[in-house]
Amino acid sequence: MPSLRVALAQVNSTVGDIPGNAAAVRHWSRTAAEVGAQLVAFPEMMLTGYPIEDLVFRDSFVASSQAALRTLAADLAGDGLGDVAVIVGYVDADGPAPTSSAAVPGSGRRDASALLFGGEIVATYFKHHLPNYGVFDEDRYFEPGDSLTVVRLGGVDVALTVCEDLWQAGGPFAAAGRAGVGLVVNINASPYELNKDDLRLPLVQRRAAEAGATIAYVNMVGGQDELVFDGDSMIVTAGGELLTRAGQFTSELLIHDLDVPAADPTPNVTDAQGDDGMGIRRVTVEAPPRPLTDGPAVGGIADRVTDEAEIWSALTLGLHDYVEKNGFRSVVLGVSGGIDSAVVAAIAVDALGPQRVVGVSMPSGYSSGHSKDDAADLAKRTGLDYRSEPIQPMVDAFLANMSLSGLAVENLQARVRGVILMALSNQEGHLVLTTGNKSELAVGYSTLYGDSVGGYNPLKDVPKTMVWRLAKWRNADAANRGGEPPIPENSIVKPPSAELRPGQVDSDSLPDYDLLDAILIGYIDGDQGRDDLIAAGHDAALVDRVLRMVDLAEYKRRQSAPGTKISSKAFGRDRRLPITNRFREGV
Amino acid sequence: MPSLRVALAQVNSTVGDIPGNAAAVRHWSRTAAEVGAQLVAFPEMMLTGYPIEDLVFRDSFVASSQAALRTLAADLAGDGLGDVAVIVGYVDADGPAPTSSAAVPGSGRRDASALLFGGEIVATYFKHHLPNYGVFDEDRYFEPGDSLTVVRLGGVDVALTVCEDLWQAGGPFAAAGRAGVGLVVNINASPYELNKDDLRLPLVQRRAAEAGATIAYVNMVGGQDELVFDGDSMIVTAGGELLTRAGQFTSELLIHDLDVPAADPTPNVTDAQGDDGMGIRRVTVEAPPRPLTDGPAVGGIADRVTDEAEIWSALTLGLHDYVEKNGFRSVVLGVSGGIDSAVVAAIAVDALGPQRVVGVSMPSGYSSGHSKDDAADLAKRTGLDYRSEPIQPMVDAFLANMSLSGLAVENLQARVRGVILMALSNQEGHLVLTTGNKSELAVGYSTLYGDSVGGYNPLKDVPKTMVWRLAKWRNADAANRGGEPPIPENSIVKPPSAELRPGQVDSDSLPDYDLLDAILIGYIDGDQGRDDLIAAGHDAALVDRVLRMVDLAEYKRRQSAPGTKISSKAFGRDRRLPITNRFREGV
């Protein structure tokens, strides 16, 4: 049984930064080769970043991806790595871009994997199963491949697959079984969701049984706009044994020696299209890969962590990469003494370091003494750059010139704070962080153009009850990390308040957060209707109240104001581009 | 050859307002029957509105659609219309909602058409071709049907089809040809694009030839969030003759007597699946439709109009329906004396009447005398509710308490204006209109949370050069409409300026708008890259400058801040709901 030293490159990639991503492939391939790897696998769309959204419609972008792949093959050989097989995801095309209803949607654009060896692109594979649910829109963008690529390398048959191919039964993994391969390499850009890692291992085991082969699963790591990729790469045998598994949210090489069955010299299968809907295309690499050096290489199995630890890592990495990939030097946020801004400040300091985080206390006449104290305490614990800008003089200028009352006055205070943060952003170059949690956003308990001002919101998808859990977890984890617990105990235990009128607390306007979050999760995450929620045990009147708030709040979450579409591509619905796109035309 | 009086109901529908939409079907069916119609056809998804986006994932929503259809059939009979065939679009389901990667995307949800007669749902059809490009995401939401429904009604074979079925060759229209039908009814929710009407007629002619049958094409009319449906319903014979055609942006019944070939009593075709991928399902309505009364009924052919007239209608209808469907009583906007706010004010007054439009002049120290005069002149011409709120006292309060300079001071002025408009919105209940045109938005020539504040932007998809054309056209059209030309001549002819610093004009920062718009249209609408644009004759340095501005501005168009996703459904990318949704759980 031949042995193959495999390196899974669980690394970061930036949408549009094709030269930077190609350089990362060269860097990590060299590092892997230094410890004797014969095959190095990189994530899905490593060369272009993922998701590229409407960039795929631009011919110049696709041409850049194709050209970069050719250059990369040559550069790897130039680096002395011509005898290492490098598998890398990129975007290919064998047809025109779909730009109208006349063309078949996605025609000719391919979510592709290539095997590079000896300075050449030896083989390519086009993803077969295209996900089109949740965050995925791949039916818009890509044409499915219908042929499994099997590469004979050093006497072993290796099949190439991409991401969703693993999540659907039939197709490439069934074809791999029919083809009798020894190893299936599955490259991924699989976004994080809480506890998704609990799904992945049994899924890989099921597919390994279907293919009758070992699976090497490699996933991207890093933040890209609203997505964060968590890695969790692994190798699982045909029998379902987990050989090695990387951590979550870590950039690393997972290196392991595999015993892979020798390829049958004359495989007794038909390579025509099978019941699984796939043809089989075979490619042989005549030259042997570099010989195995000292070994064996045995990868470890990373421990699983708690929900809070997993989420904290996701949020810090997501913020870090948003800031870095967009080229910001620093962030600014309002610190009120409350739990949300305290948790965001702690995330920002963990992600960027205290010297890149500015916290601004903006007290009003309604701000309590303890709020100011708690904000100052947070600053002292975290070491962030702390400022104070009392808002009353600006609020008074509006009140003196307009006749405002009630909610208009409450919102005015939040909006003056938004203007102050944006002025600091313009003057000093910080990215403004906003701090509204998912529960608040869902029911519209925030001020449009007020506390919702900002370029990034770490808590956008975090329910209020989880904000408290995160705060307690992070403070306790200070014992492992060193340093003081960052979040003032008082911010955790006091009743939440917007402090926009005397004595105001959240519970004046909102149900208890335990009850609220349970309904929100059913309604939003679960698509449950009113009757489902009541059947699940929620109080009917409360369900009606919450659903009404959510439906009314829907428009508050909109980005730029909607407007009537009159052209073939309006902004918004029609034009979907990643924010942290680094593709530069003509570079 | 039997004669059939057909009524195409080119009418409005509201997403989620199932009871209201059902009432509209009864109203228009009664009106059509009063002039003797035997068959009345309503648009795609008439009962639910279109597009319903993620509402389709909620079982309670789909169940409401199905129940409303059954009730509607009975109610029409109760209205004395049991002998009129009513074709209506709705949402059906014959499988579970797709809520995870484990389920097949779109499984079981159907974009459906039903024929109601005699108090019953006589026949249903499931849309075959699902568009998944541009504004369409139907692969996410629906499962394609694979069987053409042919209804024998009064001795005539009528085939049911839906929207995109018409835009793709093969499939239902080919099957209709094989089935030998006399009439194909194609129901649509086809969003407006400039000059799309020029594509529709030849397309309908091509499909009529393919089916060898007359096509009755009915389209929705009205605004829904960012979409506006323009109607343009028509009837075209197998030979390509246009018999009748409705106007654009008008709610109307298009009524016409058709001579339709009698159905073959024993059709000599196989109804099994054909080369076109469709089976054929035949249903016979035994009872005859109501007898023809006096006639003949002959529909007219509406004139085509200029681009400016078409766009003006789209923008006024889009704004009107956004305001009405969201339940706002009035709108407020800043009027600067410039062209953009003048055109938005004129659109708003045309859409809502002057008594529902508040215009606020918010001069600063840098506002020129002519700006204030032009704003007042606009108010006088249009009759809108005019106010003045000088911003200097509020701006001074910020400047006295913060150290700001340069761009931060420019943006501060725009943000103080945004706070004033939102305060008026909170105090008096107006929807704030924002007025940035597509060219400005594309290059980021606007202030985030400043002039971009607002719930709706009529010019969001209108390039600056088109804003000027619209202004001139609307003023000239005053001769046809009566009333004064609404837009001050001075607002049209003066050089555009943001007036945020002394002597500032747009041309300090931006290329000439003719050049800019040409590049933007190529880059944004056409997905052209740098080299394509230069090959098209644009100056290379200018192309580089504009593309860099557009790429940098991309994030400005996001209003709610992105944030890292950690759950199965975050807001934004994961959760796609119409803003003007009127669906109420449990009602």
Side-chain angles (χ1 to χ4, degrees), chain B residues 460-483:
Chain B
K460 178 174 179 168
D461 197 29
V462 183
K464 184 80 173 188
T465 47
M466 179 55 78
V467 176
W468 276 304
R469 285 173 56 190
L470 290 175
K472 290 174 198 162
W473 174 86
R474 178 59 185 83
N475 273 3
D477 202 49
N480 304 320
R481 300 173 181 240

Side-chain angles (χ1 to χ4, degrees), chain A residues 519 530 533-535 537-547:
Chain A
I519 294 174
R530 176 182 184 271
L533 290 163
I534 293 169
H538 296 292
D539 176 71
L542 185 62
V543 166
D544 286 341
R545 180 176 163 213
V546 171
L547 266 48

Side-chain angles (χ1 to χ4, degrees), chain A residues 9-12 28 221-222 247-254 317 321:
Chain A
Q10 175 171 303
V11 301
N12 209 328
W28 288 100
V221 73
Q248 286 180 284
F249 308 105
T250 52
S251 285
E252 60 180 287
L253 283 175
L254 190 67
L317 181 57
D321 280 6

Side-chain angles (χ1 to χ4, degrees), chain B residues 73-232:
Chain B
D75 285 346
L76 286 166
D79 293 342
L81 305 176
D83 57 355
V84 178
V86 173
I87 294 174
V88 60
Y90 72 109
V91 176
D92 208 336
D94 53 1
T99 50
S100 76
S101 59
V104 177
S107 67
R109 304 307 161 117
R110 308 289 190 165
D111 183 339
S113 175
L115 189 143
L116 312 180
F117 192 93
E120 304 287 335
I121 302 167
V122 169
T124 60
Y125 165 80
F126 298 153
K127 187 176 186 177
H128 175 69
H129 287 301
L130 299 174
N132 204 62
Y133 52 82
V135 301
F136 305 110
D137 283 305
E138 294 193 4
D139 280 346
R140 285 178 81 88
Y141 297 130
F142 299 109
E143 196 69 7
D146 59 1
S147 176
L148 180 71
T149 299
V150 177
V151 182
R152 184 155 300 181
L153 173 77
V156 171
D157 276 350
V158 179
L160 307 183
T161 63
V162 180
C163 200
E164 186 77 4
D165 290 337
L166 185 89
W167 290 79
Q168 311 277 343
F173 283 81
R178 186 159 51 87
V181 306
L183 174 66
V184 183
V185 176
N186 182 246
I187 65 175
N188 290 265
S190 173
Y192 172 71
E193 268 175 33
L194 180 60
N195 297 326
K196 196 174 187 180
D197 58 331
D198 298 343
L199 299 178
R200 284 197 190 105
L201 177 56
L203 187 71
V204 176
Q205 289 168 323
R206 201 150 64 235
R207 255 359 127 224
E210 187 178 353
T214 296
I215 296 181
Y217 171 101
V218 59
N219 190 20
M220 194 173 272
V221 72
Q224 182 68 47
D225 297 351
E226 302 205 299
L227 302 183
V228 61
F229 302 97
D230 61 328
D232 193 26

Side-chain angles (χ1 to χ4, degrees), chain A residues 51 53-54 57-58 60 101 105 132-137 139-140 167-168 192-194 226-228 311 314-315 318-319 322 389 393-394 397-398 401-405 408 411-412 415-416 419-420 422-424 426-427 434 438 441-442 448-449 452-457 460-462 523-525 527-530 547-548 550-551 554-571 573-577 579 583-586, chain B residues 51 53 57-58 60 101 105 132-137 139-140 167-168 192-194 226-228 311 314-315 318-319 322 389 393-394 397-398 401-405 408 411-412 415-416 419-420 422-424 426-427 434 438 441-442 448-449 452-457 460-462 523-525 527-530 547-548 550-551 554-555 557-571 573-579 583-586:
Chain A
E53 304 191 85
D54 284 11
F57 294 142
R58 221 180 295 159
S60 55
S101 59
N132 204 62
Y133 53 82
V135 301
F136 304 110
D137 283 304
D139 281 346
R140 285 179 81 88
W167 290 80
Q168 311 276 344
Y192 171 72
E193 269 174 32
L194 179 60
E226 301 206 298
L227 302 184
V228 59
I311 293 176
L315 299 180
L319 174 61
Y322 192 86
E389 292 281 359
M394 295 76 137
F398 284 93
N401 288 279
M402 300 183 75
S403 294
L404 301 178
S405 59
N411 283 334
L412 173 63
R415 292 197 178 109
V416 165
V419 174
I420 290 172
M422 289 306 296
L424 287 172
N426 284 155
Q427 191 69 34
T434 179
K438 186 179 190 176
L441 291 171
L448 198 57
Y449 314 118
S452 64
V453 156
Y456 194 83
N457 179 0
K460 178 173 179 167
D461 196 28
V462 183
Y523 190 52
I524 294 169
D525 293 17
D527 285 312
Q528 290 184 298
R530 176 182 184 271
L547 266 48
R548 182 149 180 83
V550 172
D551 289 347
E554 198 68 49
Y555 84 96
K556 280 206 186 186
R557 283 186 294 281
R558 296 295 149 157
Q559 300 178 346
S560 54
T564 298
K565 167 184 158 60
I566 64 164
S567 71
S568 62
K569 286 212 178 175
F571 298 122
R573 184 192 289 275
D574 266 4
R575 186 169 150 85
R576 306 178 182 185
L577 285 171
I579 308 176
F583 181 60
R584 294 291 169 261
E585 287 282 347
Chain B
E53 303 192 85
F57 294 141
R58 222 180 294 159
S60 55
S101 59
N132 204 62
Y133 52 82
V135 301
F136 305 110
D137 283 305
D139 280 346
R140 285 178 81 88
W167 290 79
Q168 311 277 343
Y192 172 71
E193 268 175 33
L194 180 60
E226 302 205 299
L227 302 183
V228 61
I311 293 176
L315 299 181
L319 174 61
Y322 192 85
E389 292 282 357
M394 295 77 136
F398 283 93
N401 287 281
M402 301 182 74
S403 295
L404 302 178
S405 59
N411 283 335
L412 173 64
R415 293 195 179 109
V416 165
V419 173
I420 290 172
M422 289 306 296
L424 286 171
N426 283 156
Q427 191 69 34
T434 180
K438 186 179 190 175
L441 291 172
L448 196 57
Y449 314 118
S452 63
V453 156
Y456 194 82
N457 179 0
K460 178 174 179 168
D461 197 29
V462 183
Y523 190 53
I524 294 170
D525 293 18
D527 286 311
Q528 289 184 297
R530 176 182 184 271
L547 267 47
R548 182 151 181 80
V550 172
D551 290 346
E554 198 69 47
Y555 85 95
R557 281 187 295 281
R558 322 262 160 166
Q559 179 197 85
S560 62
T564 298
K565 167 184 155 60
I566 64 164
S567 71
S568 62
K569 286 214 178 173
F571 299 122
R573 183 193 289 277
D574 266 5
R575 185 167 151 85
R576 305 179 183 183
L577 285 171
I579 308 176
F583 181 60
R584 294 290 169 262
E585 286 282 348

Side-chain angles (χ1 to χ4, degrees), chain A residues 75-413:
Chain A
D75 286 346
L76 286 166
D79 293 343
L81 305 174
D83 57 356
V84 177
V86 173
I87 294 175
V88 62
Y90 71 109
V91 175
D92 208 336
D94 52 2
T99 50
S100 76
S101 59
V104 177
S107 68
R109 304 308 161 117
R110 308 288 191 165
D111 183 339
S113 175
L115 188 143
L116 312 179
F117 192 94
E120 304 288 334
I121 302 167
V122 169
T124 60
Y125 165 79
F126 299 153
K127 186 177 187 176
H128 175 69
H129 287 303
L130 299 174
N132 204 62
Y133 53 82
V135 301
F136 304 110
D137 283 304
E138 294 193 4
D139 281 346
R140 285 179 81 88
Y141 297 130
F142 299 109
E143 197 69 8
D146 59 359
S147 176
L148 181 71
T149 299
V150 177
V151 183
R152 184 156 299 181
L153 172 78
V156 170
D157 277 350
V158 179
L160 306 184
T161 64
V162 180
C163 201
E164 186 77 4
D165 290 339
L166 184 88
W167 290 80
Q168 311 276 344
F173 283 81
R178 187 159 49 89
V181 306
L183 174 67
V184 182
V185 176
N186 182 247
I187 66 175
N188 290 264
S190 172
Y192 171 72
E193 269 174 32
L194 179 60
N195 297 327
K196 196 174 187 180
D197 57 331
D198 299 341
L199 299 178
R200 284 196 191 107
L201 176 58
L203 187 71
V204 175
Q205 288 168 324
R206 200 150 64 235
R207 252 6 122 219
E210 187 177 355
T214 296
I215 296 181
Y217 171 100
V218 59
N219 190 19
M220 195 174 274
V221 73
Q224 182 69 47
D225 297 350
E226 301 206 298
L227 302 184
V228 59
F229 301 98
D230 60 328
D232 192 26
S233 303
M234 66 183 87
I235 301 178
V236 171
T237 67
E241 188 192 354
L242 176 64
L243 297 180
T244 182
R245 188 172 193 177
Q248 286 180 284
F249 308 105
T250 52
S251 285
E252 60 180 287
L253 283 175
L254 190 67
I255 299 172
H256 198 85
D257 285 348
L258 293 178
D259 292 324
V260 186
D264 183 344
T266 53
N268 182 27
V269 293
T270 171
D271 288 354
Q273 191 137 324
D275 291 343
D276 43 50
M278 304 291 289
I280 296 170
R281 194 168 32 179
R282 292 178 185 272
V283 178
T284 299
V285 177
E286 299 295 349
R290 62 173 50 190
L292 271 190
T293 54
D294 53 308
V298 181
I301 296 183
D303 289 336
R304 302 294 95 190
V305 300
T306 64
D307 288 358
E308 291 86 349
E310 209 180 282
I311 293 176
W312 194 269
S313 295
L315 299 180
T316 49
L317 181 57
L319 174 61
H320 175 271
D321 280 6
Y322 192 86
V323 168
E324 293 295 334
K325 292 181 180 181
N326 276 311
F328 286 98
R329 290 185 312 276
S330 51
V331 298
V332 65
L333 74 156
V335 288
S336 68
I339 183 70
D340 295 330
S341 59
V343 168
V344 171
I347 290 168
V349 168
D350 280 358
L352 305 168
Q355 69 287 356
R356 297 175 72 187
V357 181
V358 179
V360 187
S361 168
M362 295 177 283
S364 76
Y366 303 130
S367 297
S368 57
H370 66 73
S371 290
K372 288 175 257 188
D373 295 346
D374 295 341
D377 186 20
L378 170 76
K380 197 170 109 327
R381 288 161 177 263
T382 57
L384 56 71
D385 178 354
Y386 184 63
R387 324 253 184 102
S388 181
E389 292 281 359
I391 64 170
Q392 210 57 49
M394 295 76 137
V395 171
D396 288 343
F398 284 93
L399 294 178
N401 288 279
M402 300 183 75
S403 294
L404 301 178
S405 59
L407 188 66
V409 176
E410 293 184 34
N411 283 334
L412 173 63
Q413 299 165 67

